[in-house]
Amino acid sequence: MSPSGPDFFAEGDLVGVLTTQPLDRLLDYRAPEGGCHVGAFVEVPLGPRKVPGVVWGPGRGDFDISKVRQVLRVLDVAPMRAEMQDFLRRAADYTLTPMPAMLRLATRAPGLSNPPSMQKIYRSGPAAPDRMTDARRRVLAVLSEYGALSFTLGELAEQAGVTTSVIKGLVKQGAVLEEDCPRDLPFPHLDPALGGKDLTDDQSSAAATLCAALRGGGYGTTLLRGVTGSGKTEVYLEAVAETLRQGRQALVLLPEIALTSEFLTRIEARFGARPAEWHSGVTMTERRRTWKMLGEGGCQVVVGARSALFLPFRDLGLIVVDEEHDTSYKQEDGVLYNARDMAVLRASICGAQVVLASATPSLESWANAEAGKYTRLDLTARFGAAVMPQMRAIDMRAETLPASRWISPSLQAAVTARVEVGEQALLFINRRGYAPVTLCRACGHQIGCDHCDARMVEHRFQQRLVCHQCGETKAVPKACPSCGVEDKLAAVGPGVERLTEEAQALFPQARIATLSSDLFGSARALKDQIRAIAEGDTDIVIGTQLVAKGHNFPRLTLVGVIDADLGLQGSDLRAAERTFQLMRQVAGRAGRTEKPGTALLQTFQPEHPVIRAILSGDEEGFWRAEAEERRHAGVPPYGRMAGIILSSTDAREVFDFATELARRDGPLRAVGAQVFGPAPAPIARIRGRHRVRLLVKAARGVALQGAVAQWVAQLKPPGQLRLSIDIDPQSFL
């Protein structure tokens, strides 16, 4: 219910409607025939167009009443609940985001305005076509790739790149099934009584604590910290079961789409049916169904990416943020929000419990647990017979290897030994592509992006140069674009593709799989590769950060980190924390079943405090030391920060504006905040736009958002200039 008006508006009453259009206020309309409730999703006229919106409260009536138009219709979906309105409002205030942009996040489902009706859906059939054409093969491949998910005719044709007649032909032959289906059906019932796996004493104790908190009702956040392989998932699935027993809904956030396939299978095994999915790999038909069923109570559990946090749950009782430390929970474009923090905000509004699960928590969550804001539960041992891997450093200063090689003789011998006894090895490097730099040996020129101040990365498997900032690609040139000399371009430094090439030469008999997000055309293809590795079809896995995120490869007993020092470079305040987390997570892939595992870290700095902490396993010591450094510097989580990113096609315009903004820092000084800059961003040009950064720093208790909003409101950016505010920045690029 709106805090300042009635819950229901009769026909003709003045209502304030929040639309998804970029406007700075609510728009007044008259309630339609039959009236409408606060929170009703409506379609309203705006100029010559019809646009969606939500009845936010009573209208203001502060302009010519005779010109107020009527709401065209109320959409046949559950109204937005008061807690969701409150969540969007408070998230907007925290992130300094306009409300229409927040509403767009909360309405990212197609066809919400369509009336309920039947539709034709298409799925795989039992028969094979009488003859196979390339177009038919593409249709069947799409259906196979998406498993049990259904498609509309248009969606399937678009995904496969064929005309609808190709699909109709396959229907006639029984290779594709055409079925009549209500547009939006409830999801199958998940049964919490089916029973889970036998838990260890550690797991049982943690699960009992979570279930007791859920039964107690109200809000609370728990940090579930468990070493890799300790069975955190089974513990929080018990919390999901308790949520289902109470008739409430649960949301499980995962940092990577590739993790969802294995996780959905685990949910199905535990509760007897698959939950809803919400991420970029889900069809539009399934998105609409999930969105509508959540509001109507026809969906109990959602497994999804960060944007699932803005779905219209009817009675949300539990939010799990798995791998809560993962940087992919921070949205870095559009609305700049951290899903971990927003999960806590949403739960506090709707009286839900939050479980933040990680083997290597973020320092923010660790500090909140230390301060008593979060409950902390620890799982200290691996599940079953598995033990934590042995961690050792390979001192690269003592290794002899050619300039163009990155796998040391010591690591090569260890990999060979594991493969010979039928075990798997993982070689990890946190760099996509073949090589980070392409250099001309004649003039020294490094090939950069035409639109960004970034080097182009060679992706040899695709035979392209790619800019990892804007996505621009071009063929690898024969001649240097600077001096014109041919055959002098050289790849400098290793990427995951180059490491694959080296491994193929060193281990010619081994079956090698490369895991990198660039190398798969779809999320489903990536999931299939991960499943094949888990089933033992591979001897050596070569991967980027993707492999660190929760995968379980039973035969994997050796992890080799090619460049453990890579993350320690640069001035990012979280560099030590992220290196520590990544190395521990990657090492945790080894020895997750009966066979013990080993992790070998190639490093030129074995005496570095972070490397020493990784090897010793003294995680609490590392967090305490890192916390003390941050506290001394007054930076998060012991201080507040906001990043201001200004960009324009005109370099002088953006610098002049940033300089004037920095000069007018009165509102910031009034609350004791400082502004640093302006300075060119580390990547000073992206997509042809010059970028300048300002950094605001304040004490922990400062109400920073209000001061920043007042500060930036002093100047109106010229037409070409964009201003973006990032509260609690994670990246400083």
Side-chain angles (χ1 to χ4, degrees):
M1 189 167 123
S2 172
S4 58
D7 184 40
F8 181 79
F9 300 97
E11 181 180 353
D13 284 353
L14 213 55
V15 296
V17 175
L18 175 66
T19 71
T20 55
Q21 306 306 299
L23 304 168
D24 60 357
R25 59 192 171 86
L26 301 181
L27 300 177
D28 279 5
Y29 291 93
R30 292 201 180 279
E33 182 181 349
C36 59
H37 285 86
V38 167
F41 287 86
V42 294
E43 192 171 73
V44 294
L46 185 62
R49 294 177 298 150
K50 299 175 183 178
V51 300
V54 172
V55 175
W56 210 253
R60 292 173 60 178
D62 55 356
F63 72 103
D64 188 350
I65 297 295
S66 66
K67 293 183 178 176
V68 175
R69 301 161 81 181
Q70 191 172 45
V71 170
L72 295 172
R73 65 189 178 108
V74 177
L75 305 186
D76 185 34
V77 295
M80 181 180 284
R81 297 172 57 80
E83 62 93 358
M84 186 64 170
Q85 282 187 277
D86 194 20
F87 172 56
L88 294 180
R89 195 182 296 114
R90 289 171 62 180
D93 289 344
Y94 189 89
T95 59
L96 296 178
T97 300
M99 282 300 296
M102 297 305 303
L103 184 59
R104 283 197 294 276
L105 274 182
T107 52
R108 289 173 63 179
L112 292 181
S113 60
N114 296 350
S117 62
M118 300 295 282
Q119 66 176 351
K120 300 262 186 219
I121 60 165
Y122 297 82
R123 61 177 81 247
S124 290
D130 57 0
R131 61 186 182 83
M132 187 64 76
T133 64
D134 184 52
R136 287 179 167 184
R137 189 176 289 108
R138 291 203 300 274
V139 171
L140 297 177
V142 168
L143 289 171
S144 170
E145 188 179 318
Y146 280 81
L149 295 183
S150 56
F151 288 83
T152 62
L153 185 61
E155 279 178 345
L156 184 52
E158 183 181 350
Q159 284 276 356
V162 301
T163 62
T164 55
S165 61
V166 175
I167 300 164
K168 293 285 190 181
L170 287 168
V171 169
K172 287 178 182 174
Q173 303 211 349
V176 172
L177 298 180
E178 179 184 80
E179 300 169 0
D180 282 315
C181 176
R183 283 187 176 272
D184 306 300
L185 281 175
F187 284 82
H189 180 73
L190 303 181
D191 184 358
L194 284 181
K197 295 180 179 176
D198 292 334
L199 302 182
T200 64
D201 290 346
D202 249 11
Q203 289 174 314
S204 295
S205 173
T209 303
L210 291 177
C211 291
L214 284 159
R215 284 192 293 270
Y219 158 73
T221 295
T222 301
L223 174 61
L224 177 61
R225 184 198 157 273
V227 297
T228 51
S230 59
K232 293 182 291 296
T233 304
E234 293 304 325
V235 171
Y236 69 65
L237 284 183
E238 290 305 306
V240 171
E242 180 60 36
T243 307
L244 296 178
R245 280 192 284 271
Q246 294 179 11
R248 303 187 75 184
Q249 295 166 314
L251 167 63
V252 181
L253 296 178
L254 301 177
E256 192 71 52
I257 296 172
L259 296 174
T260 57
S261 181
E262 181 189 348
F263 188 78
L264 292 169
T265 303
R266 290 179 78 166
I267 291 257
E268 189 171 14
R270 174 67 178 82
F271 301 115
R274 287 171 83 82
E277 292 181 68
W278 184 270
H279 52 73
S280 60
V282 175
T283 65
M284 292 293 111
T285 305
E286 291 294 316
R287 278 189 178 224
R288 173 194 146 111
R289 176 191 180 200
T290 298
W291 197 97
K292 291 193 76 172
M293 287 302 107
L294 278 170
E296 296 173 15
C299 177
Q300 297 164 284
V301 176
V302 177
V303 175
R306 59 181 178 237
S307 60
L309 202 54
F310 294 90
L311 288 169
F313 292 89
R314 189 171 76 173
D315 187 8
L316 184 58
L318 173 69
I319 305 175
V320 177
V321 185
D322 202 5
E323 309 286 1
E324 65 87 30
H325 65 279
D326 199 282
T327 55
S328 61
Y329 284 124
K330 178 64 186 277
Q331 171 94 7
E332 295 286 5
D333 53 29
V335 179
L336 306 179
Y337 68 92
N338 190 316
R340 180 193 66 222
D341 300 340
M342 292 299 109
V344 171
L345 173 62
R346 181 150 194 195
S348 70
I349 294 169
C350 66
Q353 291 287 317
V354 180
V355 176
L356 305 177
S358 176
T360 55
S362 62
L363 189 58
E364 282 81 358
S365 296
W366 182 88
N368 279 328
E370 286 287 294
K373 291 181 181 178
Y374 297 168
T375 303
R376 175 168 164 176
L377 298 173
D378 286 281
L379 302 176
T380 55
R382 284 194 153 180
F383 183 80
V387 295
M388 288 299 291
Q390 183 183 7
M391 308 274 289
R392 295 205 307 269
I394 295 175
D395 188 344
M396 295 300 284
R397 297 169 300 186
E399 296 284 321
T400 304
L401 70 166
S404 60
R405 281 260 310 274
W406 285 273
I407 300 171
S408 66
S410 298
L411 182 55
Q412 180 184 350
V415 171
T416 300
R418 299 288 170 147
V419 172
E420 283 177 350
V421 294
E423 296 170 12
Q424 281 178 333
L426 164 65
L427 299 178
F428 171 82
I429 184 163
N430 199 20
R431 270 205 188 113
R432 292 179 291 147
Y434 183 83
V437 179
T438 300
L439 178 81
C440 176
R441 288 178 298 201
C443 71
H445 174 72
Q446 297 179 10
I447 297 182
C449 177
D450 297 332
H451 311 291
C452 307
D453 286 346
R455 299 161 175 155
M456 296 200 87
V457 178
E458 182 182 350
H459 285 243
R460 190 161 292 186
F461 293 178
Q462 301 170 14
Q463 298 182 315
R464 307 286 290 173
L465 293 174
V466 179
C467 174
H468 286 178
Q469 298 306 316
C470 71
E472 176 74 17
T473 75
K474 57 187 174 186
V476 181
K478 293 282 187 197
C480 171
S482 177
C483 69
V485 176
E486 292 192 5
D487 299 325
K488 287 291 184 181
L489 293 175
V492 179
V496 68
E497 294 176 10
R498 192 169 199 174
L499 195 61
T500 299
E501 195 176 82
E502 182 177 341
Q504 287 167 341
L506 291 177
F507 313 105
Q509 305 306 315
R511 298 167 298 172
I512 296 174
T514 307
L515 280 185
S516 177
S517 55
D518 315 87
L519 302 177
F520 295 88
S522 69
R524 302 277 162 180
L526 178 56
K527 288 178 186 178
D528 288 344
Q529 176 69 82
I530 288 167
R531 192 182 303 112
I533 293 169
E535 289 169 358
D537 291 354
T538 302
D539 300 314
I540 300 172
V541 183
I542 298 175
T544 61
Q545 190 169 326
L546 190 68
V547 298
K549 300 181 181 181
H551 303 297
N552 187 24
F553 301 138
R555 284 180 48 229
L556 184 66
T557 58
L558 175 70
V559 168
V561 177
I562 299 303
D563 190 350
D565 309 325
L566 187 60
L568 298 174
Q569 301 161 11
S571 56
D572 186 342
L573 69 90
R574 294 182 176 85
E577 176 187 356
R578 286 179 179 158
T579 299
F580 181 80
Q581 289 165 337
L582 186 57
M583 294 300 106
R584 296 290 297 179
Q585 289 278 340
V586 171
R589 297 312 106 206
R592 293 173 72 98
T593 51
E594 293 82 9
K595 294 179 180 176
T598 301
L600 302 176
L601 277 60
Q602 294 190 162
T603 173
F604 287 91
Q605 309 174 68
E607 67 289 334
H608 193 288
V610 175
I611 301 295
R612 287 212 310 268
I614 293 165
L615 296 173
S616 70
D618 181 15
E619 299 196 11
E620 292 301 314
F622 173 79
W623 293 127
R624 281 193 295 272
E626 186 68 10
E628 192 50 45
E629 278 195 32
R630 301 260 195 102
R631 189 182 284 110
H632 183 71
V635 295
Y638 304 102
R640 302 287 315 277
M641 275 188 172
I644 314 297
I645 304 101
L646 302 155
S647 71
S648 172
T649 52
D650 184 331
R652 177 179 289 275
E653 175 184 71
V654 72
F655 246 107
D656 287 350
F657 185 88
T659 303
E660 182 62 19
L661 192 59
R663 196 177 64 77
R664 299 195 191 190
D665 64 345
L668 298 175
R669 281 188 285 108
V671 297
Q674 294 174 274
V675 61
F676 298 92
I683 300 175
R685 189 172 57 104
I686 293 181
R687 297 184 183 91
R689 298 183 66 84
H690 300 274
R691 303 170 73 245
V692 170
R693 284 191 69 103
L694 295 146
L695 192 64
V696 178
K697 184 181 168 195
R700 190 175 186 177
V702 166
L704 188 59
Q705 282 87 340
V708 169
Q710 190 182 346
W711 172 50
V712 299
Q714 296 176 104
L715 290 174
K716 182 172 173 56
Q720 284 293 313
L721 194 141
R722 294 181 201 149
L723 184 151
S724 177
I725 301 171
D726 188 1
I727 302 293
D728 306 328
Q730 293 287 310
S731 167
F732 295 88
L733 292 178

